[in-house]
């Protein structure tokens, strides 16, 4: 069974949706075999994360629209989801340390 790919953008300065809660959610999706592109954005809060996600979201959407499976970042959670697990998040995504 093929799953629908999921894009998740999380601002690390978000106090409404805590980054740790989103990480647990993404880890659960990955362990269930879903393909997830998880991007974090330093110094971004809840109100600006959608805007900050656009540079990574647009190419991801183009992959989905073309019928291709976008790269998964489930490798960050030790998962081997069905997506491309050897490819890190896009360089435009600001990763947490």
């Amino acid at each position: 069974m093929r799953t629908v790919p999921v894009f998740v953008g999380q601002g690390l300065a978000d106090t409404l949706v805590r980054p740790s809660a989103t990480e647990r959610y993404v880890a659960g999706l990955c362990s269930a075999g879903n393909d997830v592109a998880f991007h974090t954005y330093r110094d971004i809060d809840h109100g600006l994360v959608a805007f900050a996600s656009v540079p990574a979201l647009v190419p991801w959407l183009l992959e989905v629209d073309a019928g291709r499976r976008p790269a998964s970042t489930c490798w960050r959670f030790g998962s081997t989801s069905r997506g491309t697990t050897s490819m890190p998040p896009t360089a435009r995504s600001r990763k947490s340390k």
Side-chain angles (χ1 to χ4, degrees):
M1 179 173 94
R2 185 170 175 161
T3 63
V4 175
V6 179
F7 182 98
V8 178
Q10 173 68 51
L12 296 178
D14 194 334
T15 58
L16 184 61
V17 177
R18 301 270 181 203
S20 59
T22 302
E23 288 173 6
R24 285 191 304 274
Y25 172 69
V26 170
L29 287 173
C30 290
S31 67
N34 293 286
D35 295 325
V36 183
F38 179 46
H39 299 266
T40 57
Y41 302 91
R42 197 173 333 169
D43 301 323
I44 299 295
D45 64 14
H46 191 78
L48 294 176
V49 72
F51 180 74
S53 296
V54 169
L57 178 61
V58 170
W60 184 88
L61 286 171
L62 291 172
E63 287 291 305
V64 172
D65 188 54
R68 294 186 292 267
R69 186 180 287 168
S72 172
T73 57
C74 286
W75 58 268
R76 292 169 62 182
F77 299 94
S79 176
T80 55
S81 77
R82 291 170 286 209
T84 306
T85 58
S86 60
M87 191 175 190
T90 64
R92 291 180 181 168
S93 174
R94 294 188 218 170
K95 296 173 285 293
S96 63
K97 293 189 177 205

